[in-house]
Amino acid sequence: MNTFEHHESSVRSYCRSFPATFKQAKGANLIDEEGKEYLDFLAGAGSLNYGHNNPVLKHALMTYIESDGLTHGLDMYSSAKEHFIERFQNIILKPRGLKNYVMQFTGPTGSNAVEAALKLARKVKGRENIIAFTNGFHGVTGASLSCTANQHHRGGAGTSLNHVSRMPFDGYFGENTNTLAMIDKLLSDPSSGIDKPAAVILETIQGEGGLNVASSAWLKGLRKLCDKHDMLMIIDDIQAGCGRSGDFFSFEEAGIKPDIITLSKSISGYGLPMALTIFRKDLDIWKPGEHNGTFRGNNHAFITAATAIDTYWHDNLFSKDIKEKGNLLRKRLRNIADRFGPESLKLKGRCMMSGIECPSEEIAGQVVQSAYKKGLIIETCGNRDQIVKCFAPLTISNEELERGLNLLEKAFSEVTSNIATAAAS
Ligand SMILES: Cc1ncc(COP(=O)(O)O)c(C=O)c1O
């Protein structure tokens, strides 16, 4: 038994799939204590869109630390926070027609940003019920866990998870079923048993739930439904945001404006804890300190977040580059699926948030383990953990992306030929 197995709680999870002890990381590469190098297609579960120890962000952070800039600031005004707010407002919100939205710095986890979003929606509308979707994932604390669909996580609550009505996501019943029409009917019928909701919360591309993509038409329709039934639209962009979909926000392609947006994971750009809830100014009915948190003023995160926005989002070149890489990734994944399982493997997701659905959790798990042995860190997702999910940093070079995909291809080849051999014997 190692130190971790002895002394760390059994709740630990990623380390069970990747039991190496890592000591260094740079860009899309991880190095363990034995000096073995790995390509990282996990990227901190989407927290490292700009790679490990990104040199531009690191330089800004080191310079700030050396100047004795504030580290911890509660929610007091600081130069670092002011700079972030200005950059985020001018480079991200304003050009996207969201200049009348305000930023709430919540406790530094995605789940806390979701808690704030749900509290605010309930407070604004004076109603308890929230609509959340099949396979949605929004965190594992009280209200956020109520919105999370996954039974494994819900089972850990130890209490009832209330005040959420579960509705079918786009495509949940197959291509030919219009889930919006179902939702509309349920909300329009005073005897459907669905209490009038304050809001809907959703991911436009479900990350943990299986890389399920809501179409632009469905998102536009949902926006209309929200207005029709007087519900706020909360888009949880914690995983799909910060460029993962090709645009800064994942809902940009659909041309919709949510009422509330949550961001975390890659917003700091450096893997530092930071979370934001963003909403229309007219919804800002919070009383001072009503939702607070000791660590909502992580000034180091403000420095790296502002630098990431300045560096990558001041024009549309990065977005163009992500979309090109996304095309390359999806082309290679489609080839892998066609080659090793034209009937059984399926391409999922969108842009740099893509993966391959396997027939079972066991097969996906074997692919992950085979890839790990070959030097590729990659995880699974999905309602049955049956999807191999590629989450390379967005700054990865094409050469590294291809190299990682070659390893993934070898892993699929190995696993499928083992299955064929076992079936033949
Ligand atoms: C869409 C989404 N929302 C919320 C969360 C929760 O974030 P955190 O783990 O930082 O609490 C996650 C985490 O994976 C997520 O993917």
Side-chain angles (χ1 to χ4, degrees):
M1 264 205 187
N2 63 28
T3 308
F4 307 102
E5 287 158 0
H6 256 298
H7 302 293
E8 189 181 355
S9 159
S10 59
V11 78
R12 64 193 190 280
S13 68
Y14 285 108
C15 53
R16 295 175 189 273
S17 304
F18 317 114
T21 303
F22 298 99
K23 70 164 191 205
Q24 279 177 305
K26 186 93 189 140
N29 296 283
L30 280 161
I31 303 175
D32 73 13
E33 281 187 338
E34 319 281 275
K36 180 170 175 186
E37 290 192 21
Y38 303 80
L39 272 167
D40 185 5
F41 276 20
L42 171 60
S47 305
L48 293 161
N49 282 1
Y50 312 104
H52 292 269
N53 287 310
N54 180 297
V56 185
L57 310 193
K58 182 159 105 179
H59 177 71
L61 182 59
M62 302 279 272
T63 310
Y64 180 76
I65 291 174
E66 269 166 17
S67 73
D68 281 337
L70 208 74
T71 297
H72 182 273
L74 293 169
D75 71 348
M76 288 188 287
Y77 295 153
S78 72
S79 323
K81 190 203 261 188
E82 185 175 37
H83 182 59
F84 169 77
I85 292 176
E86 283 170 5
R87 305 319 286 154
F88 194 75
Q89 171 64 223
N90 290 329
I91 298 180
I92 302 296
L93 295 182
K94 211 161 148 196
R96 289 165 180 79
L98 302 170
K99 77 175 167 50
N100 291 327
Y101 284 55
V102 292
M103 296 162 226
Q104 175 179 0
F105 298 93
T106 65
T109 63
S111 199
N112 199 256
V114 171
E115 295 285 339
L118 296 170
K119 270 193 203 174
L120 184 67
R122 286 174 166 142
K123 193 173 154 72
V124 166
K125 293 295 177 191
R127 300 176 211 132
E128 267 180 338
N129 197 25
I130 300 282
I131 287 184
F133 289 90
T134 49
N135 289 311
F137 184 87
H138 301 287
V140 295
T141 55
S144 74
L145 184 54
S146 296
C147 294
T148 289
N150 183 291
Q151 222 23 264
H152 171 67
H153 293 110
R154 293 176 69 84
T159 183
S160 51
L161 298 168
N162 293 326
H163 314 306
V164 170
S165 296
R166 190 76 43 192
M167 295 285 172
F169 194 67
D170 190 14
Y172 185 72
F173 291 114
E175 273 174 26
N176 298 326
T177 305
N178 180 351
T179 58
L180 281 184
M182 285 175 149
I183 300 168
D184 191 19
K185 170 139 193 180
L186 287 164
L187 293 176
S188 303
D189 179 354
S191 285
S192 67
I194 306 291
D195 294 331
K196 196 170 168 55
V200 305
I201 183 165
L202 72 150
E203 304 155 86
T204 63
I205 310 166
Q206 296 184 320
E208 301 305 300
L211 303 174
N212 309 312
V213 181
S215 70
S216 289
W218 192 85
L219 289 170
K220 280 195 178 91
L222 184 64
R223 175 67 268 185
K224 279 200 190 124
L225 221 57
C226 286
D227 296 336
K228 177 174 170 190
H229 295 285
D230 185 32
M231 315 177 288
L232 295 174
M233 182 186 222
I234 305 171
I235 293 217
D236 179 349
D237 235 8
I238 285 167
Q239 188 158 155
C242 300
R244 193 46 68 184
S245 71
D247 298 312
F248 185 85
F249 292 115
S250 68
F251 51 82
E252 286 178 47
E253 193 175 87
I256 55 161
K257 283 189 196 160
D259 302 297
I260 304 180
I261 306 158
T262 54
L263 283 180
S264 183
K265 290 202 187 270
S266 274
I267 184 65
S268 84
Y270 203 68
L272 292 170
M274 175 172 172
L276 268 182
T277 305
I278 305 160
F279 40 88
R280 286 199 339 254
K281 209 179 179 66
D282 60 291
L283 302 176
D284 192 8
I285 60 165
W286 285 121
K287 294 197 176 68
E290 210 174 358
H291 182 89
N292 65 15
T294 307
F295 289 106
R296 67 200 189 278
N298 181 352
N299 282 260
H300 289 175
F302 297 148
I303 292 292
T304 52
T307 311
I309 286 162
D310 268 336
T311 310
Y312 293 102
W313 296 100
H314 66 279
D315 59 21
N316 64 3
L317 288 181
F318 185 54
S319 173
K320 221 171 132 248
D321 188 54
I322 302 168
K323 288 176 187 172
E324 279 167 15
K325 266 187 203 128
N327 286 340
L328 172 75
L329 169 69
R330 289 180 63 79
K331 199 169 147 213
R332 287 286 314 266
L333 293 179
R334 187 172 283 116
N335 283 343
I336 294 175
D338 287 348
R339 199 166 145 210
F340 299 108
E343 305 294 326
S344 57
L345 300 175
K346 194 173 147 212
L347 178 65
K348 298 271 314 202
R350 195 176 124 201
C351 200
M352 287 296 276
M353 194 162 175
S354 294
I356 295 180
E357 178 161 14
C358 302
S360 69
E361 174 182 357
E362 290 70 34
I363 295 176
Q366 284 166 21
V367 170
V368 163
Q369 281 315 302
S370 167
Y372 174 62
K373 286 197 193 103
K374 294 174 186 11
L376 177 70
I377 308 267
I378 189 163
E379 70 165 327
T380 57
C381 69
N383 54 345
R384 295 188 171 81
D385 271 330
Q386 77 281 33
I387 294 156
V388 178
K389 178 188 184 195
C390 290
F391 247 60
L394 306 178
T395 49
I396 193 170
S397 67
N398 283 359
E399 183 276 317
E400 286 171 319
L401 185 59
E402 295 268 20
R403 192 148 43 85
L405 287 164
N406 291 344
L407 297 176
L408 187 63
E409 185 164 2
K410 281 193 186 130
F412 267 97
S413 168
E414 188 176 288
V415 171
T416 48
S417 74
N418 286 349
I419 293 170
T421 314
S425 62

